[in-house]
Amino acid sequence: MILLRIALGDTMDVVGQAITILAVVAGALTTHFTNHLLERQRMRHLLLTRWDERKLETYAEYIDAVRTCIYSAVMLYEARTGLGRSERAVTSLAEELTEAEGVRSRAFERVMLLAEDQVIEAAHGINTATKAIDWRARGTTEGPLEEWRELNREAFRAINRFHESARADLGVLGAFQGADHSARALILPESRREGQATADGE
């Protein structure tokens, strides 16, 4: 009887030690698994942040290229039509527009690599609108001054749509009143517009 009690006691001690060891191992595994998940989440967050930074840089560079292209087109249009005075030759301004178009095209390719579908579609809209401006500036297409202004207004509306899509893609909070900004997209200085209106009235 005494031997049986001793044997049971030893067995209980072994079981207790085994349970303790298992608990330690389980705790260590749980800690390791938890740390692994946390590290994966941290790395994922870092990667997402890094990609968001690259997207922001890419979107900003694209819009900058678009605006440069529009500016070059306006300069060419004004020189070609006599709407504005320029010390530079039309051929020089046309070459500058060609270079700006190339920069815009390359910037768009980077957008295609990083952006989601909604942003890419908005960029396609910008390309369509700005190409219409380019063609009018070169004289490939013709039309009245008001139509030229409307082409430019549409380009700025397309830019605003791109801004909205890019903000959503980057998780930027807050409303963006695109229509208000489009209303400010004047292509000609006030004095020129008034002068042109007088000339048109004559």
Side-chain angles (χ1 to χ4, degrees):
M1 192 68 176
I2 295 175
L3 293 176
L4 179 60
R5 289 178 180 176
I6 293 174
L8 288 174
D10 291 342
T11 301
M12 293 299 293
D13 288 342
V14 171
V15 171
Q17 291 175 1
I19 292 173
T20 300
I21 292 171
L22 288 174
V24 170
V25 171
L29 290 174
T30 300
T31 300
H32 175 74
F33 183 69
T34 302
N35 289 338
H36 178 68
L37 286 179
L38 291 174
E39 182 64 17
R40 284 187 61 183
Q41 290 178 354
R42 188 181 72 84
M43 290 301 298
R44 185 177 181 182
H45 177 72
L46 286 174
L47 286 173
L48 288 175
T49 301
R50 184 178 303 172
W51 280 117
D52 282 348
E53 290 174 353
R54 292 301 301 274
K55 282 183 177 182
L56 176 59
E57 179 183 343
T58 298
Y59 297 166
E61 287 177 354
Y62 172 64
I63 291 300
D64 183 61
V66 167
R67 289 185 180 274
T68 299
C69 216
I70 293 173
Y71 176 78
S72 298
V74 169
M75 294 294 289
L76 175 59
Y77 179 86
E78 291 186 351
R80 187 180 62 79
T81 61
L83 188 61
R85 297 178 181 178
S86 176
E87 297 179 357
R88 299 175 58 189
V90 170
T91 53
S92 175
L93 293 171
E95 290 174 0
E96 184 177 279
L97 176 56
T98 299
E99 182 179 347
E101 288 170 338
V103 174
R104 182 186 63 198
S105 179
R106 291 190 294 274
F108 172 70
E109 290 299 322
R110 289 192 290 274
V111 171
M112 289 280 288
L113 289 172
L114 292 175
E116 64 174 16
D117 288 344
Q118 187 175 358
V119 179
I120 293 173
E121 284 302 314
H124 277 300
I126 288 179
N127 290 343
T128 299
T130 52
K131 283 177 182 177
I133 292 175
D134 297 348
W135 294 336
R136 184 61 55 89
R138 293 181 184 278
T140 305
T141 61
E142 295 292 347
L145 178 60
E146 184 52 41
E147 190 173 277
W148 161 252
R149 288 174 174 161
E150 182 55 33
L151 290 176
N152 281 274
R153 292 189 193 101
E154 176 53 34
F156 280 97
R157 286 192 289 265
I159 290 172
N160 287 334
R161 288 191 290 270
F162 180 87
H163 283 154
E164 292 171 358
S165 298
R167 284 164 61 91
D169 184 30
L170 294 170
V172 178
L173 300 177
F176 178 78
Q177 301 298 328
D180 294 342
H181 296 293
S182 292
R184 302 174 188 172
L186 301 179
I187 304 308
L188 299 176
E190 191 70 24
S191 59
R192 281 192 201 169
R193 290 190 297 108
E194 291 175 354
Q196 186 63 35
T198 301
D200 291 344
E202 297 175 354

